[in-house]
Amino acid sequence: MSNDVLTNQARAETDRESRLPEAWASAAAQKLPRYTSYPTARAFAPMDDRGRSEFDATLGRDRPDHRLSAYVHVPFCQRLCWYCGCHTSVVHDYARVAAFHRTILKEVDLWADRLGEHAGLAHLHFGGGSPNALAPEDLIQLIDRLSERLSLRPGAEVAVELDPALMSTDFAQAAGAAGVTRASLGVQTFDPDVQALINRVQPYERVAQAVSDLRAAGVSAINFDLMYGLPGQSPDIVADTAEQALTLRPDRLAVFGYAHVPWMKKHQAMIRDRDLADVTARWEQAAAMDAVLVEAGYVRIGLDHYARPDDALALAARGGYLRRNFQGYTDDPADVLVPVGPSSIGRFEGGYVQNAVAQNVWRDAMADGRLPVGRQLVLSAGDRLRADIIERLMCDLQVDVGAICQSHGLDGRALDAELANVVALSRLGLCEVQDRVLRVPEPARRLMRVVAACFDADTNLQGAVAV
């Protein structure tokens, strides 16, 4: 067979995979959780006095062999991007950020004083907002305080999310000096017309300079966040963005679909509904970006991540120890997640907690010498069972439901009712089931949440996926 025939076959296969099968259209249109946790954050409830007392007791039960992870939320940006769904506010002078910095140092001390004995901090992640809203010297001081008070372990990953258009060379140098090992840049798109439509103008040259500055400062691991489904995008436009991104040699990429929720995030009303792609066009955009990244040798990770084959995330995926948490996919091995900053979410022995979202409430707690936790979710045995199944499915695209039930001390048939819904989805080709082992085939990867929702105890979601 000639090379031309082989090439034509490959192109035909790529074209076929880029189209959303008609039988999957209703599944692709469903609004489902991303399952960065289970139960999801919408199940959290306000923490009452009893809950606070029980949580305080839980903190004292941390084991000496428990490793810590910390998520630090910096709720400030220097510009408002219209697609954004984060808890953040725009600042035009540094006074508010400086006050925040003084307060968050107190919070670090509060957590350090209240936590039981532990095995140190294995992973430190800064998100936002934009952590580069902090002055370079304040970033260094905050990382130093966290490292000292929470005992940063040798070889721990220190990761920072950044707005590349507004990152200075001084900030990059401070990040390197403070021990940052990985930077995640919010690129989203390189297309200037799309950038204008989402109020996030950042020329390729500015992003390239940010990458160069970070690498020169010793921050060698670089991640990019890219998006599809933004106004004005097409398969060609997102493919071009992916190709431009590859010229900067990122180690990992996260490819997110834009979620349009103007009833929750009022500024998203600046994006007009009529400028957004429908579910079929969104699928084609995601497929176009996927084709570029896979052709370049990147490995698909879970729902929406890509990594070089030798990257730690790819190794975790191959080794079966990939995890999923509020930062997305990770190889973070920590047993406890400490929340630092307003709206930050943590996980402890009993379940999840979330710090107060409102900055004044968060700040008042520190003034009173109280941890700023405001909401919680105590995990039941059933929650833990379903969480294990959903996490393995979201990470591995397969899960032995019967074996996990047995590992929780239950009969292997305990979730057969949920499996009945899964079997119904298998008739559409979204999954395969044999002897309670569930697998999502590669072409259905982007719809794995539809399968995962079958194990969600939220009956509204279960009804949504029934066919």
Side-chain angles (χ1 to χ4, degrees):
M1 188 177 293
S2 70
N3 288 336
D4 286 344
V5 172
L6 289 172
T7 300
N8 289 337
Q9 287 180 345
R11 287 174 178 168
E13 181 68 21
T14 299
D15 184 59
R16 182 166 60 252
E17 291 181 356
S18 72
R19 295 194 298 267
L20 175 66
E22 185 176 346
W24 294 1
S26 61
Q30 291 171 22
K31 307 298 184 185
L32 295 171
R34 296 182 57 80
Y35 291 116
T36 52
S37 73
Y38 180 81
T40 63
R42 71 178 188 174
F44 291 13
M47 181 179 284
D48 56 21
D49 290 342
R50 178 180 177 181
R52 189 174 298 279
S53 177
E54 291 174 349
F55 174 66
D56 288 344
T58 298
L59 287 179
R61 293 200 300 265
D62 288 335
R63 298 203 310 260
D65 62 332
H66 272 180
R67 294 160 295 185
L68 303 182
S69 179
Y71 176 76
V72 183
H73 187 76
V74 180
F76 299 107
C77 293
Q78 293 172 276
R79 57 179 176 175
L80 181 61
C81 304
W82 293 335
Y83 66 84
C84 182
C86 300
H87 292 297
T88 189
S89 58
V90 176
V91 290
H92 300 292
D93 64 74
Y94 199 69
R96 282 179 61 200
V97 184
F100 163 83
H101 177 256
R102 291 191 295 271
T103 305
I104 204 168
L105 292 174
K106 296 178 182 177
E107 185 184 0
V108 173
D109 289 339
L110 279 173
W111 281 114
D113 292 342
R114 298 291 298 281
L115 288 167
E117 191 175 359
H118 57 79
L121 188 60
H123 187 99
L124 176 57
H125 189 104
F126 288 79
S130 300
N132 50 313
L134 290 168
E137 61 273 16
D138 286 346
L139 175 74
I140 292 175
Q141 186 180 15
L142 180 53
I143 292 178
D144 284 349
R145 182 70 62 91
L146 286 155
S147 176
E148 175 188 354
R149 295 305 315 273
L150 298 181
S151 303
L152 189 70
R153 293 165 61 97
E157 180 166 279
V158 180
V160 181
E161 299 175 15
L162 300 171
D163 180 345
L166 301 175
M167 192 200 76
S168 66
T169 300
D170 287 346
F171 189 93
Q173 292 173 346
V180 171
T181 61
R182 182 176 297 277
S184 181
L185 306 186
V187 173
Q188 321 311 356
T189 177
F190 281 117
D191 186 88
D193 293 332
V194 178
Q195 289 179 354
L197 288 171
I198 61 174
N199 198 40
R200 190 179 179 88
V201 175
Q202 49 190 33
Y204 171 89
E205 293 75 18
R206 178 77 280 278
V207 177
Q209 185 62 55
V211 170
S212 177
D213 287 345
L214 287 164
R215 286 180 171 144
V219 183
S220 58
I222 302 295
N223 298 2
F224 283 174
D225 289 346
L226 305 180
M227 294 186 75
Y228 64 90
L230 293 170
Q233 285 184 317
S234 67
D236 287 344
I237 285 174
V238 298
D240 185 63
T241 281
E243 289 168 353
Q244 290 186 71
L246 293 180
T247 66
L248 300 176
R249 300 176 290 107
D251 298 274
R252 300 176 188 172
L253 301 102
V255 178
F256 301 121
Y258 169 59
H260 192 53
V261 288
W263 56 92
M264 293 175 57
K265 297 295 179 180
K266 301 301 183 185
H267 54 269
Q268 287 191 356
M270 299 298 294
I271 295 176
R272 299 178 300 184
D273 290 359
R274 66 174 179 270
D275 290 334
L276 297 174
D278 63 16
V279 64
T280 300
R282 283 170 61 92
W283 182 277
E284 292 171 353
Q285 291 175 26
M289 201 173 289
D290 174 88
V292 172
L293 299 178
V294 172
E295 176 66 23
Y298 285 78
V299 177
R300 296 183 181 108
I301 306 291
L303 175 67
D304 48 21
H305 282 46
Y306 298 80
R308 293 182 178 276
D310 59 349
D311 183 83
L313 207 61
L315 298 177
R318 287 202 297 273
Y321 56 90
L322 184 68
R323 302 295 305 275
R324 187 154 174 82
N325 64 18
F326 293 100
Q327 286 78 62
Y329 287 103
T330 180
D331 62 336
D332 178 9
D335 306 286
V336 171
L337 174 61
V338 181
V340 183
S343 82
S344 185
I345 294 175
R347 179 168 180 172
F348 295 87
E349 181 180 292
Y352 296 105
V353 296
Q354 183 178 27
N355 284 352
V357 174
Q359 292 182 40
N360 62 318
V361 177
W362 170 80
R363 187 171 52 247
D364 289 347
M366 244 70 64
D368 294 339
R370 296 181 287 108
L371 289 174
V373 289
R375 298 202 303 159
Q376 68 176 154
L377 175 64
V378 178
L379 292 174
S380 68
D383 291 336
R384 296 177 191 276
L385 168 66
R386 294 170 185 271
D388 282 354
I389 291 171
I390 289 173
E391 183 177 33
R392 293 304 358 126
L393 181 62
M394 296 292 293
C395 290
D396 304 335
L397 278 75
Q398 63 181 21
V399 60
D400 189 333
V401 177
I404 289 185
C405 286
Q406 290 174 344
S407 73
H408 283 253
L410 301 172
D411 187 287
R413 298 168 294 182
L415 291 179
D416 276 6
E418 285 77 1
L419 276 170
N421 274 343
V422 175
V423 170
L425 292 176
S426 71
R427 299 188 189 106
L428 299 177
L430 295 177
C431 56
E432 301 165 358
V433 186
Q434 184 175 10
D435 298 329
R436 298 188 179 84
V437 176
L438 166 62
R439 187 178 76 85
V440 174
E442 191 62 46
R445 174 186 291 268
R446 286 193 290 278
L447 296 178
M448 66 172 70
R449 290 185 293 169
V450 178
V451 183
C454 292
F455 298 95
D456 194 322
D458 186 329
T459 55
N460 291 326
L461 291 179
Q462 287 193 2
V465 301
V467 293

